[in-house]
Amino acid sequence: MTIRLPGADGRLRAYEPRTDPLAVLPDGAPLASRTVFSAAHVVADPYADVSPGAPAAVDWDATLAFRRHLWSHGLGVAEAMDTAQRGMGLDWATAAELIRRSAAEARATGGAVACGVGTDQLTGPATLDEVRAAYEEQLALVEDSGAQAILMASRALAATAAGPEDYLDVYGHLLRQAAEPVILHWLGPMFDPALEGYWGSGDLDAATEVFLEVIAAHPDKVDGIKVSLLDARREVDLRRRLPDGVRCYTGDDFNYPELIAGDEQGFSHALLGIFDPLGPAAARAVRVLDTGDVKGFRELLDPTVELSRHLFEHPTRFYKTGVVLLAWLAGHQEHFTMVGGLQSARSLPHLARAYQLADGLGLFPDPPRAETRMKRLLAVYGVTS
């Protein structure tokens, strides 16, 4: 059987799907050598009568089922983060409900969950006091749910802060009152243009010094940092400067195999959006790494980088569209619909290439189902044979 896929040049070419999917049986035992979180997407309710900009409508059953899928392979879930369309269709009220439901499901199943804390309930210009209060509200909700907190970068703080001292003040205030160590998240402007100049400077070297100053002042309140700058060298340099006991969770969806494998001076743990579609494959690779087999780990994970770089290509913030496409093709949901209508954010050639790369990796448990669904999508665009 073949399927005709459009390329970047607009021409249709025949592709023969593989018939031997990657077989990775669930193994709920925690991964040993690295702490690994998958940032997970949300499944929209396709029958809800909503428009872009309206509060999100979520299919809670399918959304939580996908989290159970990740937990069944020993992965942790990073909840209500960028991959869940936080700030790109997922409003704060729905994110709060997602946090409560996911944390309760984690307690019931024994899964690990860490949840994003931000300021997205602020919808207009804000003062620093209002930014602090918004962070505090969300931190309290996450801690009350029993989940670990991830202090996310704030659009409101980026817009309000006059300089590095305001970041030091806000983050210092939050870390002092956090009940348990948190993960600090540095999300680069390639993921969210509104975060340009975060930590008080557009110069990444200067911003790094402010980031490290925050950590150095409160090392007992920082479990780790998540770095999403798509710059492996900068992450390694930053990783080597962290205080003892503070972990680095790579958020680099371009260079994750080498960063997780590490070098003679250390390694990164992982908190990655690409581990949403790669969940079972990523877990299998890390279990090989658990045995000390770095070469085997790289042989399993390196081939996935081409798919990841494709999904996260410019404009990077629209990677969620490819992630949800692959979830639909893999059978984790029954439709290709996203909150905020974001399913339209990538071109058909981009989606076709994502299907081809994922199929080549054997990521679809049922290749004929994936092919049938891809043909349905192609038909919507007028590709009927």
Side-chain angles (χ1 to χ4, degrees):
M1 295 183 66
T2 61
I3 180 173
R4 291 200 306 157
L5 300 174
D9 60 2
R11 296 177 58 191
L12 293 171
R13 293 179 176 83
Y15 170 71
E16 184 175 347
R18 65 183 287 173
T19 58
D20 55 332
L22 177 70
V24 182
L25 296 176
D27 180 352
L31 303 173
S33 61
R34 304 290 188 271
T35 300
V36 180
F37 289 97
S38 167
H41 74 281
V42 293
V43 182
D45 178 353
Y47 305 120
D49 185 13
V50 294
S51 302
V58 173
D59 180 337
W60 294 113
D61 289 342
T63 293
L64 294 176
F66 187 75
R67 279 123 184 91
R68 291 193 295 271
H69 155 71
L70 295 172
W71 286 321
S72 76
H73 288 277
L75 300 168
V77 168
E79 189 57 274
M81 302 288 290
D82 186 63
T83 305
Q85 297 179 241
R86 193 81 179 266
M88 288 186 69
L90 190 74
D91 57 287
W92 164 238
T94 311
E97 182 65 14
L98 177 63
I99 289 167
R100 285 188 286 263
R101 288 177 182 251
S102 190
E105 195 73 16
R107 289 194 301 273
T109 62
V113 65
C115 299
V117 170
T119 63
D120 45 328
Q121 67 269 59
L122 300 173
T123 57
T127 65
L128 282 179
D129 284 343
E130 289 169 334
V131 170
R132 275 192 293 267
Y135 262 131
E136 289 173 341
E137 176 190 356
Q138 296 199 15
L139 178 60
L141 184 145
V142 170
E143 290 185 335
D144 289 347
S145 77
Q148 184 177 17
I150 304 171
L151 292 186
M152 301 191 302
S154 162
R155 291 175 180 173
L157 180 55
T160 303
E165 64 283 351
D166 288 337
Y167 289 89
L168 294 170
D169 176 68
V170 169
Y171 277 90
H173 177 83
L174 294 168
L175 290 172
R176 282 190 295 272
Q177 73 177 58
E180 300 290 341
V182 307
I183 297 172
L184 295 180
H185 185 193
W186 185 357
L187 190 70
M190 67 287 295
F191 289 92
D192 187 343
L195 299 177
E196 183 71 48
Y198 212 74
W199 303 110
S201 176
D203 182 301
L204 287 179
D205 291 335
T208 296
E209 295 306 316
V210 178
F211 189 46
L212 286 168
E213 187 175 346
V214 169
I215 299 164
H218 308 277
D220 58 321
K221 288 297 186 73
V222 181
D223 164 70
I225 63 169
K226 169 177 158 58
V227 186
S228 299
L229 298 175
L230 304 183
D231 184 335
R233 180 198 59 80
R234 184 172 296 279
E235 178 174 321
V236 171
D237 290 345
L238 180 56
R239 185 174 75 197
R240 291 174 178 171
R241 296 180 62 188
L242 292 175
D244 290 343
V246 176
R247 296 186 256 198
C248 180
Y249 294 90
T250 187
D252 189 333
D253 300 278
F254 283 3
N255 305 291
Y256 51 93
E258 65 185 85
L259 291 165
I260 297 170
D263 55 30
E264 66 282 353
Q265 297 185 53
F267 57 82
S268 294
H269 300 271
L271 199 165
L272 288 161
I274 191 56
F275 281 4
D276 179 304
L278 289 184
R284 182 179 73 156
V286 175
R287 292 192 193 283
V288 170
L289 187 59
D290 289 346
T291 70
D293 184 358
V294 177
K295 181 174 181 290
F297 165 79
R298 294 295 300 270
E299 288 175 348
L300 290 172
L301 208 56
D302 282 0
T304 68
V305 171
E306 184 179 6
L307 170 63
S308 188
R309 291 190 176 199
H310 175 72
L311 294 181
F312 286 78
E313 70 183 10
H314 180 79
T316 301
R317 63 188 181 277
F318 296 126
Y319 74 88
K320 298 95 163 170
T321 302
V323 165
V324 174
L325 171 79
L326 298 185
W328 173 54
L329 297 177
H332 295 298
Q333 56 193 78
E334 295 304 314
H335 58 84
F336 179 39
T337 306
M338 299 175 67
V339 298
L342 208 64
Q343 67 271 14
S344 65
R346 290 292 201 188
S347 69
L348 184 62
H350 176 94
L351 299 177
R353 181 61 177 160
Y355 160 74
Q356 184 177 355
L357 291 171
D359 179 74
L361 293 168
L363 297 185
F364 302 131
D366 185 343
R369 176 178 58 193
E371 180 184 355
T372 297
R373 289 185 170 186
M374 191 66 206
K375 285 181 175 177
R376 289 179 191 163
L377 180 63
L378 290 166
V380 170
Y381 285 81
V383 182
T384 57
S385 62

